[in-house]
Amino acid sequence: MRDFAHYAQSVRRSWNPRGNAGPHRHMLAGPRCVVRVFAQVWSAAGAWSYRRRGGGMSRQSEIVDALMRDGFQGVNELAARFAVTASTIRRDLERLEGRHLLRRTHGGAVPVAQDESRRGVQKPLHGAEKSAIGKAMAERILEGQTILLDGGTTTLEVARHLEHQRLTVVTNDLQVAAEVATRPPIHLAFLGGELLPNTFRMWGPTTEQQLSRFRVDVAIFSADTVARDGLYSAGSYEIEQKRLMRSIAKEAFFVADSSKFGREALFKLLDIEDFTAGITDGLLDPLRASDFAIPIIQAPGDRGVA
């Protein structure tokens, strides 16, 4: 409240009631004075109220969203957008960098590529582990089922291990679709829409409209972050779409290598209880795996292979 009172006092002084020369002396000339002062005070009250309502957290989540959507964001541009000082934005960026949600640069910040399926990433990390996970998941899919494959490098490995003769695959990922298309026995249903910036995934109203017309036996999700209570993401764009994907499936699994466990992320996508099980690699601490409310299956593979 102190910031707001200070601003209101500065506006009152600008009225210049003694009639001395000053930049705002014309504000005493009539009703227009009241309107202009009210507008300035109302603007200050709005900024103060935003901060009182927890605007810091909301602002930080919007900063992450803007980075995920548009890439580099400048400090001055963000300060103007949120009506705060550049120092406040720098503190926000410092906190978010500490949570590994962005990387600060000269004059601003760029997103951290948590999602290894982003376009431009030449070779995904943990390739051997992801291959083992993909094989383990593919072995759990039954002939004749209809499955939904979420986008991502680990779900791509699931697609690469599908050797079924009677199977339908629904996906919104261009890379997954291209892989499934090389396997003629498998029927492919590709979801259209808009290409999510810097990824191979389709999203938006068109994608969701098509999703709502499907019913699948199994949905298989990738994850940026796996926590005890659910799956999280650094961006909020796909939250509703992921939840819609889950709603059309009889059961769901998630596939994620062990590096995804315990990461920091802002937005919760799905509850852990939404899944029948999760599949990861053999590098995850068994004690951590046993701490989940659902089975965490560790795919067999060569420990320590990068």
Side-chain angles (χ1 to χ4, degrees):
M1 188 65 180
R2 185 169 52 198
D3 291 342
F4 174 59
H6 176 75
Y7 185 85
Q9 185 179 26
S10 68
V11 171
R12 185 176 68 249
R13 288 171 178 168
S14 74
W15 294 349
N16 202 2
R18 296 185 179 180
N20 297 330
H24 298 286
R25 63 184 183 277
H26 61 280
M27 294 179 68
L28 292 172
R32 188 178 301 174
C33 160
V34 177
V35 174
R36 294 185 62 178
V37 171
F38 179 79
Q40 292 184 52
V41 173
W42 180 261
S43 175
W48 173 80
S49 176
Y50 177 80
R51 291 191 292 271
R52 288 279 292 176
R53 294 195 308 271
M57 285 300 296
S58 174
R59 182 177 61 248
Q60 289 173 19
S61 66
E62 289 184 41
I63 289 172
V64 172
D65 266 358
L67 287 165
M68 295 289 288
R69 182 183 65 246
D70 302 321
F72 174 82
Q73 298 289 309
V75 169
N76 292 335
E77 290 77 8
L78 290 170
R81 174 178 175 179
F82 295 107
V84 296
T85 65
S87 297
T88 297
I89 293 297
R90 290 191 187 95
R91 286 193 295 270
D92 286 340
L93 298 183
E94 183 178 357
R95 293 187 184 103
L96 292 169
E97 185 178 48
R99 299 174 66 183
H100 308 291
L101 296 174
L102 55 79
R103 181 169 60 84
R104 287 185 295 167
T105 64
H106 179 69
V110 294
V112 172
Q114 284 190 320
D115 181 358
E116 293 159 10
S117 68
R118 290 167 65 90
R119 283 176 283 169
V121 175
Q122 298 298 317
K123 184 179 180 180
L125 300 174
H126 312 290
E129 288 84 359
K130 291 182 179 185
S131 179
I133 293 167
K135 184 175 185 294
M137 183 68 244
E139 290 173 347
R140 286 166 170 77
I141 299 169
L142 305 178
E143 288 283 355
Q145 285 190 320
T146 297
I147 68 170
L148 188 155
L149 282 177
D150 184 22
T153 53
T154 312
T155 49
L156 177 59
E157 289 299 327
V158 177
R160 287 172 175 162
H161 285 87
L162 294 175
E163 299 178 355
H164 302 66
Q165 297 300 307
R166 294 182 298 106
L167 191 69
T168 297
V169 175
V170 181
T171 187
N172 66 321
D173 186 280
L174 290 168
Q175 287 187 306
V176 171
E179 181 64 36
V180 173
T182 66
R183 304 170 186 277
I186 300 177
H187 178 64
L188 172 66
F190 182 69
L191 300 167
E194 301 175 59
L195 190 62
L196 188 66
N198 301 315
T199 77
F200 293 96
R201 299 191 299 275
M202 310 302 287
W203 77 301
T206 301
T207 311
E208 293 181 6
Q209 184 180 47
Q210 293 178 20
L211 268 171
S212 66
R213 297 173 181 171
F214 284 95
R215 293 294 180 272
V216 302
D217 297 304
V218 180
I220 302 167
F221 292 86
S222 61
D224 284 347
T225 294
V226 180
R228 285 183 60 195
D229 63 331
L231 267 56
Y232 285 76
S233 173
S236 66
Y237 292 101
E238 297 180 282
I239 291 178
E240 295 306 319
Q241 185 165 298
K242 301 272 190 183
R243 292 174 181 174
L244 178 57
M245 285 178 169
R246 178 61 189 92
S247 72
I248 68 170
K250 294 177 183 177
E251 65 173 338
F253 293 80
F254 71 80
V255 290
D257 68 81
S258 54
S259 72
K260 304 295 179 65
F261 287 72
R263 279 185 174 181
E264 289 282 346
L266 281 176
F267 301 100
K268 189 175 188 178
L269 299 176
L270 293 162
D271 292 323
I272 203 69
E273 291 81 6
D274 288 327
F275 298 95
T276 300
I279 301 182
T280 187
D281 56 65
L283 300 177
L284 183 68
D285 184 343
L287 289 177
R288 171 175 276 187
S290 66
D291 202 29
F292 282 77
I294 62 170
I296 302 297
I297 301 165
Q298 295 187 264
D302 295 330
R303 294 179 65 89
V305 177

